[in-house]
Amino acid sequence: MTEETFVRELERRADHVHGVPLSFDDVRGKARSIQRRRRAGAAAAVAAVVALAVVLPAVLGGHGERGIEPAPSPRGDTAVLHDGVVTRADGSRVDLEVDNADVTDVTVLTDGRVVVSLQQPYSIRVYRADGSLQEQYPVQLNMVTASADDSTAAWVAEDFTIRVLESGVTEPVERPGVPMPGEAVGLIDAVLDADHLLVGDGTTTSAVVTPDGAGSAGMPTDFPTDARVTDVSPDGRLWALSFIPRANQQYGCVGLFDLHTFTVVARSCDVSGLTFSPDGKHLLGGYYENNMIGDVTVVDLDLQPVGSVATDRGSVVSRMAWADPDHLLVGVAGLEDGRWSLQRFALDGRDPETVEGPVDGGNPEQVAEYQFSE
């Protein structure tokens, strides 16, 4: 869910973009209906499987052929990919026969299908609910972006156009590509629904893609030109932002943009990579380097720290995600012994529960033995 696995496109988008302008009222209406996807955080530091400690204060207490019958899949809940097997939030499992080392993203649609982006082969694969392969698609970027309610997944196709796959629809539909100069490849930052996608150059969010075209007219009034949308609150009112680093910064600052007031209502330079909790009351952030996450912090809506996730000596966070408003799922790994565990942490500071492991695994700089799709 994430840009650190790709080389960022440094060329800025052209000033002129084509397509039918979309009013921001249309986009805001879509955004308000969003229920957050709660994607996995993208990666953390290198390690040994030792217990993690959550230090938190007590106060935290369609189009196309409709040939697929939606399956009863829990909406918005976290699924886990480990050793080629996806375990859904309801406990059901499906074997995809993929190597975690080849997987960069995984999404479980509400009709039960699983969408996986792969490094080997460089592609997007769609698996049926029973784990059988439905189709493989060539891509420009092996990256999948899903809507907040997991009803829609989108990716950049080999011909630079966007493909959008809806739950209950057999084949993806084509959408216009991300407005970019030359042969540069843009990114899909957020999927509001099948007809409204926020896109940009990997450092800023600058346009809205609809079936009619792509244009900056659909962006909100006074949206900062140096910011990228990283997440959307459950009610759709707040967008989490990541700002381009300034000359004296290694990492950029973060902020929250309010769609009602068209202003940045909170800003911090002490956290990164924000994702909203399912109830929208907190955000989870961390610094992503070398396929791992460091300095994991929970902040409130003023972006003030209210807690953190700390590891014992020699252990690191590989991936993490919101399991529900009060719990986190965390994949941790061991540097010396190569042992991995899946841990579930309560925000009230209770001891973590080991969901699975410890098990043998690879180098966390190269592979994530536990990956999350929500």
Side-chain angles (χ1 to χ4, degrees):
M1 195 288 222
T2 59
E3 71 268 18
E4 68 276 6
T5 57
F6 306 101
V7 177
R8 287 188 173 186
E9 300 294 339
L10 299 180
E11 302 171 77
R12 299 303 300 275
R13 59 178 293 274
D15 292 334
H16 180 67
V17 291
H18 303 281
V20 179
L22 173 71
S23 73
F24 179 63
D25 285 340
D26 292 336
V27 177
R28 184 169 61 180
K30 298 298 181 182
R32 284 175 175 171
S33 68
I34 288 180
Q35 294 299 315
R36 218 194 129 274
R37 181 171 179 262
R38 297 174 295 172
R39 290 180 57 96
V46 33
V49 143
V50 218
L52 299 176
V54 178
V55 184
L56 293 167
V59 293
L60 275 183
H63 303 269
E65 177 191 353
R66 299 190 173 272
I68 299 175
E69 187 68 25
S73 178
R75 178 175 177 175
D77 290 325
T78 305
V80 181
L81 172 66
H82 172 64
D83 198 23
V85 176
V86 171
T87 302
R88 300 184 176 94
D90 63 0
S92 62
R93 295 190 171 203
V94 56
D95 189 349
L96 303 185
E97 296 185 352
V98 296
D99 188 336
N100 270 56
D102 294 331
V103 176
T104 58
D105 279 313
V106 57
T107 292
V108 179
L109 294 174
T110 52
D111 63 12
R113 286 180 295 174
V114 182
V115 183
V116 176
S117 61
L118 296 171
Q119 299 183 87
Q120 296 291 336
Y122 201 79
S123 63
I124 300 295
R125 283 183 180 173
V126 179
Y127 292 89
R128 299 180 183 90
D130 63 3
S132 61
L133 179 63
Q134 176 182 312
E135 190 58 84
Q136 178 171 299
Y137 300 94
V139 292
Q140 281 292 334
L141 289 176
N142 59 341
M143 178 177 183
V144 175
T145 305
S147 62
D149 61 2
D150 293 321
S151 66
T152 307
W155 59 88
V156 179
E158 190 176 38
D159 63 0
F160 293 91
T161 63
I162 291 174
R163 296 292 189 273
V164 178
L165 179 64
E166 291 183 81
S167 181
V169 180
T170 304
E171 297 293 334
V173 296
E174 181 178 323
R175 295 283 183 259
V178 181
M180 293 288 290
E183 294 297 303
V185 181
L187 300 183
I188 304 168
D189 296 329
V191 176
L192 305 184
D193 61 24
D195 294 331
H196 300 86
L197 296 84
L198 301 180
V199 299
D201 63 1
T203 59
T204 63
T205 299
S206 54
V208 179
V209 171
T210 74
D212 299 318
S216 58
M219 293 298 295
T221 305
D222 295 330
F223 184 82
T225 58
D226 61 342
R228 177 175 180 256
V229 176
T230 62
D231 202 12
V232 178
S233 65
D235 61 4
R237 175 171 178 167
L238 297 175
W239 288 359
L241 306 180
S242 176
F243 291 93
I244 296 175
R246 296 176 180 175
N248 62 342
Q249 293 178 321
Q250 181 178 2
Y251 303 97
C253 300
V254 297
L256 295 180
F257 186 83
D258 191 323
L259 298 188
H260 289 184
T261 63
F262 304 136
T263 58
V264 176
V265 294
R267 189 179 177 108
S268 172
C269 298
D270 298 325
V271 69
S272 184
L274 295 178
T275 58
F276 283 97
S277 60
D279 61 3
K281 294 181 179 180
H282 298 97
L283 298 101
L284 181 63
Y287 291 92
Y288 309 131
E289 285 188 344
N290 300 325
N291 199 39
M292 296 166 289
I293 310 171
D295 294 332
V296 177
T297 305
V298 178
V299 297
D300 60 20
L301 294 183
D302 293 321
L303 301 187
Q304 296 301 305
V306 296
S308 62
V309 172
T311 65
D312 286 342
R313 190 178 192 77
S315 69
V316 295
V317 177
S318 167
R319 295 290 191 274
M320 62 190 307
W322 290 101
D324 57 47
D326 301 314
H327 296 86
L328 303 174
L329 282 177
V330 180
V332 296
L335 236 184
E336 297 180 357
D337 61 7
R339 302 284 280 171
W340 288 69
S341 290
L342 177 63
Q343 304 283 338
R344 177 182 171 91
F345 294 89
L347 297 189
D348 60 9
R350 288 174 293 174
D351 290 338
E353 169 195 359
T354 298
V355 179
E356 186 174 277
V359 297
D360 290 334
N363 185 337
E365 291 186 338
Q366 299 174 346
V367 62
E369 297 291 356
Y370 292 98
Q371 298 193 41
F372 305 117
S373 173
E374 306 161 34

